[in-house]
Amino acid sequence: MDFFSAMQISSSALSAERTRMNLISSNLANANSTKTAEGGPYKRKDAVFAATQVGETFRSAFDRMRRGAPEGVEVTQIIEDQNPPRLQYDPTHPDANAQGYVALPNVNVVEEMADMIAATRAYEANVTAVQAAKSMAMKTLEIGSK
């Protein structure tokens, strides 16, 4: 594995975590949205990650099959939470049903904040990995210049 592979793997993780953070931000922003274009309250969204090969060429695919190479990550799909909306009694709300209940999004703000912290830590860890790979590459170049 070369330095560029390490950087590609970490950059794939950075991209995936950025997508995850965008979804968390959207979930938090719409925690009280009772109407969407599709109708009904906002539905919480989450990213599904999967291992993937980065910089795949024929040679790298052959080598990977032969010896098992490290893998990056990608977002394979964005899913909507299928849990029912939470009902809150508020007969004065314009979106209340005949019984006076309003269907609110199934977004748990505490859970989203915990997910945000985890995504931030994963992002920071991958930035550190990129910086370490860059530092090793620079040290290697310094060997040849002396």
Side-chain angles (χ1 to χ4, degrees):
M1 185 165 96
D2 58 16
F3 294 114
F4 293 114
S5 294
M7 288 186 195
Q8 285 179 326
I9 291 167
S10 291
S11 68
S12 72
L14 291 171
S15 178
E17 291 299 338
R18 185 183 65 239
T19 300
R20 180 177 172 200
M21 184 64 79
N22 288 343
L23 291 172
I24 292 168
S25 297
S26 178
N27 292 340
L28 288 170
N30 288 292
N32 294 310
S33 298
T34 57
K35 286 185 180 178
T36 61
E38 297 83 29
Y42 175 83
K43 291 187 178 182
R44 180 182 179 277
K45 293 175 179 51
D46 203 5
V48 176
F49 289 3
T52 183
Q53 296 302 314
V54 293
E56 189 86 307
T57 63
F58 176 77
R59 180 179 175 90
S60 64
F62 180 75
D63 287 343
R64 177 178 50 83
M65 291 180 71
R66 190 172 49 91
R67 61 177 166 73
E71 298 176 328
V73 66
E74 70 177 348
V75 176
T76 56
Q77 63 181 355
I78 296 172
I79 57 171
E80 285 186 348
D81 192 340
Q82 296 304 311
N83 289 323
R86 60 188 167 92
L87 296 177
Q88 179 177 325
Y89 185 74
D90 185 1
T92 61
H93 194 284
D95 294 328
N97 63 16
Q99 292 80 28
Y101 287 95
V102 179
L104 293 171
N106 54 0
V107 175
N108 181 339
V109 175
V110 175
E111 183 180 327
E112 296 299 324
M113 294 300 289
D115 285 348
M116 184 188 314
I117 291 169
T120 301
R121 297 292 182 262
Y123 193 91
E124 289 171 352
N126 281 289
V127 166
T128 302
V130 167
Q131 289 172 339
K134 181 178 134 188
S135 176
M136 289 191 309
M138 293 303 293
K139 292 290 182 186
T140 303
L141 291 174
E142 288 176 13
I143 291 171
S145 66
K146 291 184 180 183

